[in-house]
Every structure is written in C-alpha cells, then in structure tokens.
Amino acid sequence: MDDREFSEIISIITKQTGIVPRESHKVGIMNFIEKRKKEVDLGALPYSAYLRLNKEELCTLLNAATVNETYFFREESQFTFLKDKIFPELRAKLGTKPVRIWSAASSSGEEIYSLLLLAQSLGMKTECVASDINTKVLEKCAKGEYTPNSVKQVDGVKFHHLLAKYIKADKSVSFPEEICKQIDRRQINLSLVAENFPRGVNVIFIRNVFIYFTTEMKKQILTKIVNESLSDGGYLFVSMSELPSIDASILPKNLKKFCDGKVFYFKKV
C-alpha cells in the first residue's frame, strides 16, 4: 500500500470517528490492513475503495483502529473521591431515585462495572450506560468475563474487595447475569449527533479518549455531552493525563473545573 492510499484510509477513520491516530498507533493500523487484504476478496479494488463500499468492513477496521486498554478501578483516587464525597451527596439529593452513570468510552467494560459495584456498595440504586464505538468491546462488556490482567496489583487495590466474590480460582473475573443485565450497552459515536446519548446523567466518566481528538472535536463533544446528557449539578471525570488539554478555551460555559486534593473534576453549574 502506498502512502497516499494509507493517508486516505486514515482520513476515513478520522471522518467517521473524530479520532486522529498517533504515529505509533498508525503502525498497528497498517499491520491490520495488510492482514485484512489477504483475508478478504478485494477483486481489483484498492482497500480504501473497498471500505467505502462495505460498511461491515469499515466497522471491522474501526474496531481494530480504536485503542482499548483499561482495568478495574483505574485511577483509584477518583473512585475514592466518588465514595467519600460524590456518591454520598447524590444519595442525599436523589433519595430513592437511581443514580444515573455513563461510561462514555467504556472499552471492554471494566470502568462501568467498577462504578456500578461502588455505587451499589453504598446502597444506591443505579442506571448504568456503557458506550463505545467499538462493537467488539461492547460484546465483551455484555459477557462480563475478564482475564487477571483486568485486576492490577498497584492501582485500584483499595476497591478489590468489591470484586472478591466474582474472582475465580485462576484470578479471572466473571460477573453473573444479574449483574451484567444492569448495564445498558450502546454503540455511540461521540463525534456524531447526540440522538443516542443517555439523558439526565449524574456522573459521566469519559477517560482516555480526548487524547485522540483535535481541540475543536474535544470542544464539540464536551458541548454535546453537557447540553444533552449531564444533569444540572452533574459530575464529569476525565483521566488525569488528559487534564492539561481540557482548558477554558474548550469548556462549555456551564461546565466548571474543580479540585479536591489531587482529584480534578468538572461540574455542570
């Protein structure tokens, strides 16, 4: 494949998802494309043209092109903050109503299960949504089965007791159906219209995804999420590594940044 065609394919990925792959990420995409060219019958078509004519292949490429790395209770300090301050505040505010939680770039689901288990450990009813553009990781989330790699021995350890009854002898994690069915899974492309976005959400986690977007795309996504999904007084969390790129120039006027100790977060005011 020549550089021109590969650039065209990268442009297709960006147009469809808003994601601008890093140079290191492009190597994996190139390797995947070369592998797929041997597996599918392209006829006389270049792979870029085949993509435009075949929605299923485009979905396959997008699944391969999105990075999916997560684990339970990642960035433990944020979960400690939720446990000690945010969830108790919401419990007092909502009463018997469920807390609405959205993992907006859920990957394989460890994040949404972490949020669900934490809220329920505090006696809160929940309505949880896990969304991702990648259909394969949503299937994994639906199964609720994870390898030992999803449980790190450094980060998140404080909350591993919430996983204890779901950990098997081989250290893998398996959630029963009654847990899995409490999560509403949706394929959502954050860069497109917000018609499938959940509404009235109290807590939104959208972590480790903004690093792949342009400044303008970050602004557009934040505006849609805040205006269409986040409830008044609702909280939004990004990963700590993304905070420097989320400044006042892209924040909606009704979303304010706060700090509590080492934890930064955003609140709709």
Side-chain angles (χ1 to χ4, degrees):
M1 180 188 309
D2 59 30
D3 291 344
R4 181 176 179 179
E5 184 186 2
F6 185 63
S7 295
E8 183 180 353
I9 292 171
I10 295 298
S11 296
I12 292 172
I13 292 171
T14 300
K15 183 177 180 180
Q16 290 292 321
T17 66
I19 293 172
V20 181
R22 299 175 175 181
E23 289 304 315
S24 58
H25 188 190
K26 289 180 182 179
V27 175
I29 295 174
M30 171 66 84
N31 292 337
F32 175 80
I33 292 171
E34 294 298 337
K35 176 174 175 288
R36 287 298 290 168
K37 287 169 66 176
K38 298 175 182 178
E39 295 173 343
V40 298
D41 183 9
L42 298 177
L45 292 173
Y47 187 73
S48 56
Y50 184 76
L51 280 177
R52 297 184 188 281
L53 296 172
N54 191 316
K55 291 184 178 180
E56 289 186 2
E57 184 63 25
L58 178 58
C59 181
T60 298
L61 174 64
L62 294 181
N63 283 348
T66 51
V67 178
N68 300 284
E69 181 183 352
T70 186
Y71 51 88
F72 292 108
F73 300 102
R74 186 177 188 178
E75 297 199 62
E76 183 180 287
S77 60
Q78 292 184 335
F79 285 93
T80 299
F81 182 58
L82 283 171
K83 174 182 177 291
D84 294 342
K85 297 192 177 182
I86 301 302
F87 279 161
E89 174 195 306
L90 289 173
R91 183 172 54 192
K93 176 182 177 180
L94 296 172
T96 59
K97 295 180 180 178
V99 58
R100 295 181 175 179
I101 304 169
W102 179 21
S103 174
S106 65
S107 186
S108 45
E110 289 92 330
E111 181 174 275
I112 194 63
Y113 281 110
S114 298
L115 291 163
L116 169 67
L117 293 177
L118 179 59
Q120 292 188 344
S121 74
L122 299 174
M124 303 177 72
K125 296 179 181 178
T126 60
E127 289 183 1
C128 294
V129 176
S131 74
D132 204 280
I133 194 173
N134 187 320
T135 58
K136 290 294 184 184
V137 294
L138 290 174
E139 290 173 4
K140 183 174 181 179
C141 179
K143 292 179 180 178
E145 297 180 353
Y146 299 94
T147 67
N149 288 335
S150 290
V151 183
K152 301 299 183 184
Q153 296 307 311
V154 178
D155 192 18
V157 173
K158 181 177 179 179
F159 297 98
H160 285 178
H161 66 281
L162 299 178
L163 293 168
K165 62 182 178 180
Y166 308 112
I167 297 179
K168 301 164 69 175
D170 63 358
K171 305 299 182 181
S172 64
V173 177
S174 181
F175 294 109
E177 182 181 359
E178 59 264 27
I179 296 293
C180 298
K181 69 182 183 182
Q182 295 181 51
I183 297 172
D184 175 14
R185 291 165 295 276
R186 305 181 189 181
Q187 184 187 24
I188 293 179
N189 186 335
L190 295 171
S191 70
L192 300 181
V193 294
E195 61 184 22
N196 197 31
F197 283 27
R199 311 298 184 191
V201 183
N202 305 112
V203 176
I204 296 176
F205 268 47
I206 178 167
R207 305 190 301 178
N208 301 296
V209 65
F210 283 120
I211 55 176
Y212 300 108
F213 294 129
T214 63
T215 299
E216 182 57 32
M217 183 57 69
K218 293 175 189 176
K219 183 177 181 178
Q220 291 179 22
I221 290 172
L222 280 171
T223 299
K224 284 187 293 186
I225 285 178
V226 172
N227 292 340
E228 301 293 336
S229 297
L230 192 61
S231 64
D232 291 338
Y235 296 89
L236 183 148
F237 291 84
V238 301
S239 71
M240 300 298 284
S241 62
E242 293 172 306
L243 281 168
S245 69
I246 311 295
D247 58 27
S249 67
I250 65 172
L251 286 179
K253 292 183 179 180
N254 54 346
L255 188 68
K256 301 299 181 182
K257 183 178 180 181
F258 296 91
C259 176
D260 187 286
K262 296 182 179 180
V263 177
F264 290 84
Y265 63 96
F266 300 89
K267 185 175 183 178
K268 185 173 179 179
V269 299

